[in-house]
Every structure is written in C-alpha cells, then in structure tokens.
Amino acid sequence: GANSHTAMFIRETRARNTGYIAVGIVDEEKTRIGRTMHGVRIYGDVQSIPAVVRKLERKGKKPQRAILADDRI
C-alpha cells in the first residue's frame, strides 16, 4: 500500500542507486488511486494487480518484482 514504508522504500532505492525502480503502487484505499507518491503513480487496489501489470507492460514498464509494504505484515 501507499504508506510510510512505501515512501521510505522509494526514497532509499533512489538515494542508494540500488537498481530497483518503483513503477507503480497499489493500495486498498480507493481515494488514493490516481495520486502519486514521490512521483510513482497509485494505479489501483490489490484485486487490480493483473490489470495494473498489463497496463505497465504496455507502457514498457513491466514490473520484475512485487514489494509488499503493509503495517499488518
């Protein structure tokens, strides 16, 4: 989800040049969909992951990894 862990991951991967590039975020809070976090778009909820991956693939940004950032995990 779009939370403080996600923000930290995006900031740290950029600052440390880790090779990870965040291409999209999914979040259960529907009011966040369409917004961005540190320039990374929030595309939809967990159920929409297959559609989000297809959309990103069409844009040439197919995800290679999924990173889970949730306070409940």
Side-chain angles (χ1 to χ4, degrees):
N3 59 36
S4 61
H5 300 291
T6 307
M8 183 175 65
F9 177 81
I10 294 169
R11 283 192 314 269
E12 291 296 315
T13 55
R14 288 177 178 168
R16 298 179 192 273
N17 196 21
T18 62
Y20 284 103
I21 300 169
V23 295
I25 300 169
V26 294
D27 191 280
E28 290 300 307
E29 182 61 50
K30 304 253 190 252
T31 60
R32 294 181 183 151
I33 296 170
R35 295 181 183 182
T36 61
M37 176 180 277
H38 296 287
V40 180
R41 185 181 172 115
I42 302 168
Y43 281 97
D45 59 12
V46 173
Q47 290 77 25
S48 67
I49 289 175
V52 170
V53 170
R54 287 191 298 274
K55 180 181 263 188
L56 289 167
E57 186 173 20
R58 286 192 302 272
K59 293 181 173 194
K61 298 179 177 183
K62 183 179 179 184
Q64 300 299 309
R65 306 273 188 281
I67 307 297
L68 302 176
D70 190 315
D71 294 332
R72 297 171 292 180
I73 297 175

